[in-house]
Amino acid sequence: MTLLFTDIEDAARLWAEAAADTADAVRAHDAIVGGAIERHGGYLLAAGDDGFRAAFSTAATAAAAAIDAQRQLTENASITFAVRMGLHTGEVVHRDEDYLGSDVNRAARLVALAHGGQILVSETTVILLRSAVALRPLGEHRLRGLRGRMSVHQIVAAGLATEFPVLRSVDCFEGNLPQRLSSLIGREDLVLEVAEQVRSTRLVTLSGVAGVGKTRLALEVGAELSGEFPEGAWMVELAGVGDAASVPDAIATVLGIPPQGDMPLIDVVSEALAGRRLLLVIDNCEHVLAAVAAAVGAILARSENVRLLATSRERLQLNGEATLAVQPLALDGGASSDAVTLFVDRARTVRPDFGLHDPETAAAVMKICETLDGLPLGIELAAARMAAMSAVEVRDRLSDRFRLLKVSTAGPQRQHTLRHAVDWSYTLLSPDEQRLLCAASVFAGGFDLAGICAVVGDCDDVEVLGQLDSLVRKSLVVADHVAPRTRYSMYETIRQFAEDRLAEAAGQDRTRDRHAAHFARTAAARWEYWNGPGWRDAVDWVETELDNLRSGFRWSALQGDLEVATDIAAHAALMGFSVQLFETIAWAEELLEVAAAADVRRLPRLYTAAGLACFAGRAEAARANAHRATELEDESRYDACEPGYATFIEALGHVYCGDLDRYVELTGAVANRYGRERGYGLAAYVDGLQSAGRVDEALALTEESVAAARELGNPYWISYALWIAGLALSKADARRALAAWDEGVAFVREHRVHFFDGFLARDAGRLHTSDGEPAAALALFDEAIAAFHRAGNVPQLIITLASVPPLFERLDRLAPAATLLGAMSRQPSSFHHVPELRDLGDRLAGKLGKSRLRELTSDGAELDLNDAASYARQQIGTARRDPMPAARQAHPGGLSRRELEVLRLVADGRTATEIATQLFISSRTAEHHIQHIYTKIGVSSRATATRWAIKHQVVDVTARG
């Protein structure tokens, strides 16, 4: 499209000085420009108080509209202002009644170069207009906010002015903004946002951490706005101003304002600026903040037309001030991220052939940008090393980033190295703020107020909160207010600097001790609320603080503080397993030997936590450790879990080892000896009974087991009980089982008990394999494999994968069934948990032949567990796209008999609930069938599905009337 953008010159001043007259003239302007666009076939994108945006299918019609409008504007005596115009042709995206894309931005920048009465044309449009209109070349110009230069022409036509001043390009404005020798990357949208804020607000402050690019952004915004200020854009650099009293001198010197006798210099500056329209960029205000605030306040009090853009770690605290936080460059997007794009751009200035063609180099650059937190200063310093080093070499040396990333070029000393950039901010802190920042460096993954108070040690929370507030305002600490309680963090570059300062002060060991002790105390306290309605809060805490728990555990274990290490490892695992943080279980296992030798007080809890390793594929060790916990819990010198809990964990270890009888025995003991109100014990006993074939006994206890779990109130055990209830019911009543699992799925999603996502999907899939719908089974198995694979739950992944071959056999997909059977031969436990596998091989041999079966199972035996999971999901995907190949030949649309039956009921107006009742399936399954049928036959609603059914004679139209 060819875009025509128009803009009323100096519109802001006109509205401010003569609003009524301007309004009348703008109405006449709108009629003229809008009429010209319409007459020449343009599409109006937007119209405002100061111009139009329109799109044309050809460059010639766009130029004709511009000439037509400009002539009429010139001839209309009621219009007292001039209008500038720009034409640019490029690729655009039409979305939401608008055109979007980089070429839209170029059109906007092009019109900003023009003077009133002038029509400018971009180089792409020139090619299309050479024979249509006369054009005058005006040279190459840089457009604000865009990289490179553009060749610009002016349209020459009868009735239009031909002579204008030099174009308003970036390099031709009044002021002292330094020429930008490098492009600005990843900030295009932010430049526009800040510029718009400056237009509407007299004082804007850019805040952010050292090295984030506040100065560079301010310069770009200044260039973007410079054409809108007749007296120009001026930059006052305060980094070298060490004395607060010298701030007025620095401003006056830049603006060329001399002192006047005994009059305070800031009053002289304010008076001189009173009638001027300019942009003042004041850079690096943090170390003289009060003096800058006083000076800016005085200027704003005297002048209505001066705009001020400041950069500082914290706001100036003036009325009417707008603050925008400058964030590091985006890291998402891999090799195409803003951070990596900046690295490559800067690397090519020192090595023109630098690129990401080599995968190892690309990976190294992405890691460098991630390690440097996306901070532009750090990335540019790292990219500069490409002159003498490779990206891989820089990546491998970034642990000593403060020594590596330094340069010797001219410029402010604070920007020569990352250390100087951060030290510039650190030295301005009060001693208490420095102490707090250093203490915060021991946290991993962030911290809350309680945590930092515990680590600092001798300060109350109000005092600490005040210091935190100051550090946040100085951009050294980041506050996250998304959660109900504020969480704080530091960019890794800042954290590492503060950690170095803490080590230099010889306070690191003591601070780390307090950090570990805090998380040990808090973990033990949280465990007290885990087994009840407080489960969600407890596990949320473990998930949030996992990095700190890991760090505290490692430190305390290394220091030999085994009581602290035990409290962290045991309680993190006892809570964390329920949200699949199986790493915490390994901590408990790792600590067992030395903790047992030290005879720590909570040793039974540590053994119980290690017993949870059955979920991580270490069933034998888990069973032994849980049994040891039961032996210790009766000794008074120990602090164990609640009575019966270690026995329950031991029972789980036995069933994962294949000892079903012992599982039934122990779960029965927990339920009967320690009280059914524990919730988990009775549900586990029901599981043991139904697994052992004692279905009637299991069914007799099913409702009670669910009720006991609900009474306990722990969402984890309620989900567990609903899952077990479905298992028991599946042996007698498939419909009730699916209903129980439907309720379980809803409960799991509501309470985010994702541990059971895979269990519920897997077992519902198994039921559908034998008694339900294969299409539903495919979808459920896919969900279950993904869930267990993602969580690293090896035993359950094995059971799930072992359940898939019988389904493939039912779907007549014999080769995938045999291949996956071969893969499961590497996992002996799979034949115990899925007994139907034992006979599957014989059936497949009869259908495929023994030779072909051996070939396929041998191929499958080459697959490890991860490969088997990927293979199974790939084959499930194929089967879901084509569930019943034979059925396609017999039925329209490739629908199975059951799917045709569902479609008939849909066409008959039945709801999903009614269909479920008639076909003895769950409502969820019925809804799945309906959506799957819609997808297969290419419809999206009941009405179109009905028409399809009639057309393909699925329903009897005569009978339907």
Side-chain angles (χ1 to χ4, degrees):
M1 306 292 291
T2 296
L3 302 170
L4 166 61
F5 280 29
T6 75
D7 180 62
I8 297 174
E9 189 174 40
D10 218 9
R13 180 184 59 82
L14 293 170
W15 283 107
E17 295 178 355
D21 292 340
T22 300
D24 292 336
V26 166
R27 281 191 288 271
H29 156 272
D30 291 352
I32 290 171
V33 179
I37 292 171
E38 182 178 359
R39 281 192 303 276
H40 293 276
Y43 178 81
L44 185 62
L45 302 178
D49 291 338
D50 54 359
F52 283 73
R53 297 169 58 194
F56 294 80
S57 58
T58 69
T61 54
I67 294 169
D68 185 3
Q70 200 68 274
R71 282 173 177 160
Q72 292 188 65
L73 291 169
T74 303
E75 296 167 356
N76 193 313
S78 67
I79 297 178
T80 57
F81 48 71
V83 177
R84 49 189 182 178
M85 300 182 181
L87 296 172
H88 174 63
T89 306
E91 295 183 352
V92 295
V93 178
H94 188 221
R95 183 184 302 154
D96 298 330
E97 303 303 314
D98 197 1
Y99 283 108
L100 309 173
S102 61
D103 285 302
V104 176
N105 294 332
R106 286 189 172 274
R109 297 301 182 276
L110 177 64
V111 75
L113 297 183
H115 296 277
Q118 191 173 30
I119 305 173
L120 297 184
V121 180
S122 73
E123 54 194 357
T124 54
T125 309
V126 165
I127 298 171
L128 304 173
L129 285 179
R130 288 198 183 277
S131 61
V133 297
L135 297 167
R136 173 183 294 174
L138 300 179
E140 292 188 346
H141 297 267
R142 286 200 298 133
L143 277 63
R144 296 193 301 275
L146 298 176
R147 301 175 66 184
R149 292 177 175 268
M150 175 188 286
S151 177
V152 179
H153 287 64
Q154 174 189 315
I155 288 181
V156 179
L160 302 185
T162 57
E163 301 301 325
F164 298 93
V166 175
L167 294 184
R168 302 167 181 263
S169 61
V170 170
D171 304 315
C172 299
F173 290 114
E174 186 77 13
N176 72 334
L177 296 184
Q179 185 175 0
R180 294 153 298 144
L181 300 178
S182 60
S183 56
L184 184 68
I185 293 174
R187 303 295 198 196
E188 293 83 2
D189 291 341
L190 187 55
V191 168
L192 299 179
E193 179 186 351
V194 177
E196 190 58 35
Q197 188 71 61
V198 172
R199 291 186 183 101
S200 61
T201 307
R202 298 177 65 199
L203 171 62
V204 176
T205 300
L206 302 177
S207 65
V209 71
V212 80
K214 300 184 295 295
T215 299
R216 182 67 179 83
L217 176 61
L219 289 174
E220 195 71 31
V221 173
E224 173 75 11
L225 294 171
S226 56
E228 301 177 24
F229 294 92
E231 281 83 14
W234 302 84
M235 182 174 183
V236 180
E237 170 59 70
L238 296 180
V241 179
D243 179 13
S246 299
V247 169
D249 297 88
I251 299 173
T253 299
V254 166
L255 295 173
I257 301 174
Q260 293 184 14
D262 295 330
M263 187 177 181
L265 185 56
I266 191 58
D267 291 342
V268 176
V269 172
S270 302
E271 188 68 28
L273 296 181
R276 297 169 66 176
R277 298 180 60 234
L278 57 80
L279 172 66
L280 193 59
V281 179
I282 305 181
D283 193 36
N284 295 296
C285 303
E286 48 270 356
H287 61 304
V288 284
L289 198 66
V292 174
V296 169
I299 293 170
L300 292 176
R302 289 287 295 147
S303 173
E304 296 182 355
N305 295 319
V306 172
R307 290 287 190 271
L308 290 113
L309 177 61
T311 73
S312 175
R313 293 174 315 176
E314 57 185 307
R315 66 194 308 266
L316 302 183
Q317 303 288 344
L318 292 175
N319 292 333
E321 178 185 12
T323 305
L324 288 92
V326 183
Q327 303 297 332
L329 290 175
L331 295 165
D332 53 316
S336 62
S337 70
D338 292 336
V340 172
T341 301
L342 175 66
F343 186 100
V344 172
D345 183 87
R346 299 305 189 256
R348 285 174 177 165
T349 65
V350 296
R351 194 204 303 175
D353 63 345
F354 183 85
L356 303 180
H357 312 297
D358 173 56
E360 189 175 7
T361 298
V365 171
M366 287 186 279
K367 185 61 178 178
I368 290 169
C369 294
E370 178 185 342
T371 302
L372 294 172
D373 301 307
L375 289 174
L377 174 60
I379 291 172
E380 293 194 9
L381 293 174
R385 288 286 169 239
M386 295 303 97
M389 301 174 69
S390 72
V392 172
E393 290 169 335
V394 170
R395 178 200 63 194
D396 293 342
R397 289 163 175 78
L398 275 184
S399 60
D400 197 11
R401 70 190 72 178
F402 290 123
R403 287 182 57 203
L404 177 67
L405 303 183
K406 59 183 179 180
V407 296
S408 57
T409 56
Q413 180 65 21
R414 64 188 174 79
Q415 292 185 351
H416 282 187
T417 68
L418 281 181
R419 182 181 295 277
H420 281 120
V422 180
D423 191 56
W424 168 260
S425 298
Y426 181 78
T427 55
L428 299 174
L429 300 177
S430 70
D432 286 341
E433 289 171 344
Q434 291 179 349
R435 176 171 170 248
L436 184 68
L437 188 70
C438 291
S441 70
V442 303
F443 286 93
F447 56 93
D448 57 15
L449 180 61
I452 190 64
C453 285
V455 168
V456 172
D458 57 354
C459 296
D460 62 49
D461 57 354
V462 175
E463 182 179 353
V464 171
L465 190 59
Q467 295 168 9
L468 269 179
D469 178 68
S470 178
L471 292 174
V472 170
R473 286 187 286 107
K474 291 176 171 65
S475 303
L476 292 171
V477 170
V478 179
D480 183 355
H481 302 291
V482 174
R485 294 185 180 276
T486 304
R487 188 161 184 82
Y488 304 92
S489 63
M490 292 189 291
Y491 295 116
E492 180 58 22
T493 298
I494 303 298
R495 193 205 63 76
Q496 189 177 112
F497 176 90
E499 186 178 44
D500 290 346
R501 300 289 78 71
L502 184 65
E504 290 171 2
Q508 192 172 40
D509 289 2
R510 184 173 61 256
T511 305
R512 286 198 174 279
D513 286 343
R514 288 198 292 260
H515 172 270
H518 165 70
F519 283 99
R521 287 192 305 270
T522 309
R526 293 276 182 172
W527 164 247
E528 298 301 321
Y529 298 96
W530 178 88
N531 198 16
W535 173 82
R536 183 75 259 169
D537 288 341
V539 295
D540 280 348
W541 179 82
V542 176
E543 289 184 303
T544 300
E545 299 293 3
L546 181 63
D547 291 339
N548 280 311
L549 289 165
R550 182 190 301 113
S551 175
F553 165 69
R554 293 293 173 203
W555 174 259
S556 55
L558 181 65
Q559 299 302 307
D561 193 346
L562 298 178
E563 294 284 355
V564 168
T566 295
D567 273 0
I568 294 176
H571 298 112
L574 288 168
M575 294 183 285
F577 91 94
S578 63
V579 283
Q580 304 178 106
L581 295 177
F582 299 134
E583 173 193 354
T584 58
I585 300 171
W587 303 348
E589 293 177 297
E590 178 184 329
L591 198 64
L592 278 177
E593 185 176 349
V594 291
D599 202 31
V600 297
R601 183 167 58 93
R602 284 176 169 149
L603 188 59
R605 295 191 183 186
L606 190 67
Y607 270 111
T608 303
L612 294 165
C614 59
F615 293 118
R618 299 183 291 276
E620 290 289 351
R623 177 172 60 178
N625 288 327
H627 181 69
R628 181 57 179 154
T630 65
E631 294 176 336
L632 296 175
E633 67 181 5
D634 292 331
E635 298 187 28
S636 58
R637 71 177 187 275
Y638 293 121
D639 188 357
C641 298
E642 65 178 49
Y645 193 68
T647 303
F648 163 69
I649 300 301
E650 182 186 354
L652 294 178
H654 279 288
V655 76
Y656 275 102
C657 288
D659 190 346
L660 182 59
D661 291 339
R662 186 64 172 154
Y663 177 55
V664 175
E665 179 185 351
L666 290 177
T667 54
V670 172
N672 295 314
R673 178 180 174 186
Y674 297 108
R676 298 187 176 191
E677 71 277 3
R678 298 201 188 281
Y680 51 83
L682 188 55
Y685 186 42
V686 169
D687 182 34
L689 292 173
Q690 66 88 23
S691 298
R694 296 159 61 179
V695 177
D696 290 341
E697 293 176 75
L699 291 174
L701 296 173
T702 296
E703 289 188 9
E704 185 181 351
S705 69
V706 175
R710 293 190 192 280
E711 185 175 349
L712 180 64
N714 184 331
Y716 179 83
W717 296 127
I718 295 172
S719 302
Y720 177 69
L722 288 169
W723 169 54
I724 296 300
L727 289 175
L729 290 166
S730 68
K731 304 296 178 61
D733 189 334
R735 184 177 170 188
R736 287 184 63 197
L738 290 171
W741 282 331
D742 275 352
E743 181 184 357
V745 167
F747 187 88
V748 161
R749 289 175 178 171
E750 178 185 356
H751 296 275
R752 294 180 289 133
V753 194
H754 297 304
F755 188 100
F756 291 102
D757 283 343
F759 289 89
L760 289 161
R762 188 265 318 285
D763 290 320
R766 293 175 71 173
L767 184 57
H768 277 297
T769 297
S770 57
D771 298 316
E773 279 299 307
L778 288 167
L780 290 164
F781 277 131
D782 188 56
E783 181 181 336
I785 293 170
F788 289 132
H789 200 212
R790 182 171 56 246
N793 192 331
V794 172
Q796 295 302 328
L797 179 60
I798 291 172
I799 296 172
T800 305
L801 290 173
S803 302
V804 176
L807 174 61
F808 282 157
E809 182 199 18
R810 181 181 173 187
L811 294 171
D812 202 29
R813 295 185 175 275
L814 304 182
T819 303
L820 203 53
L821 178 65
M824 290 299 97
S825 68
R826 297 181 58 174
Q827 314 293 337
S829 65
S830 61
F831 289 82
H832 165 74
H833 291 292
V834 187
E836 53 263 46
L837 284 185
R838 297 190 184 100
D839 299 326
L840 179 61
D842 292 337
R843 295 197 303 273
L844 291 175
K847 296 176 181 180
L848 289 167
K850 292 183 179 180
S851 176
R852 177 61 173 158
L853 177 63
R854 280 195 301 271
E855 179 184 341
L856 291 169
T857 53
S858 296
D859 289 343
E862 298 295 322
L863 302 176
D864 62 20
L865 197 59
N866 288 327
D867 291 336
S870 298
Y871 175 79
R873 294 195 68 193
Q874 180 187 43
Q875 293 299 320
I876 286 171
T878 301
R880 290 183 70 183
R881 292 189 295 271
D882 182 17
M884 294 286 282
R888 178 184 292 113
Q889 301 172 7
H891 303 296
L895 301 179
S896 67
R897 285 188 176 87
R898 175 56 65 89
E899 289 168 338
L900 290 172
E901 187 176 4
V902 172
L903 181 56
R904 290 188 185 100
L905 293 171
V906 168
D908 199 38
R910 304 292 182 87
T911 65
T913 302
E914 292 170 336
I915 294 172
T917 301
Q918 182 160 338
L919 299 182
F920 299 101
I921 59 178
S922 71
S923 297
R924 180 168 173 244
T925 301
E927 189 63 44
H928 170 81
H929 278 316
I930 294 169
Q931 295 304 319
H932 183 69
I933 291 167
Y934 284 5
T935 299
K936 287 183 73 171
I937 65 177
V939 302
S940 58
S941 68
R942 181 183 295 271
T944 51
T946 300
R947 287 195 290 273
W948 190 95
I950 293 171
K951 177 181 178 181
H952 293 84
Q953 300 180 346
V954 174
V955 297
D956 186 343
V957 69
T958 304
R960 286 177 54 85

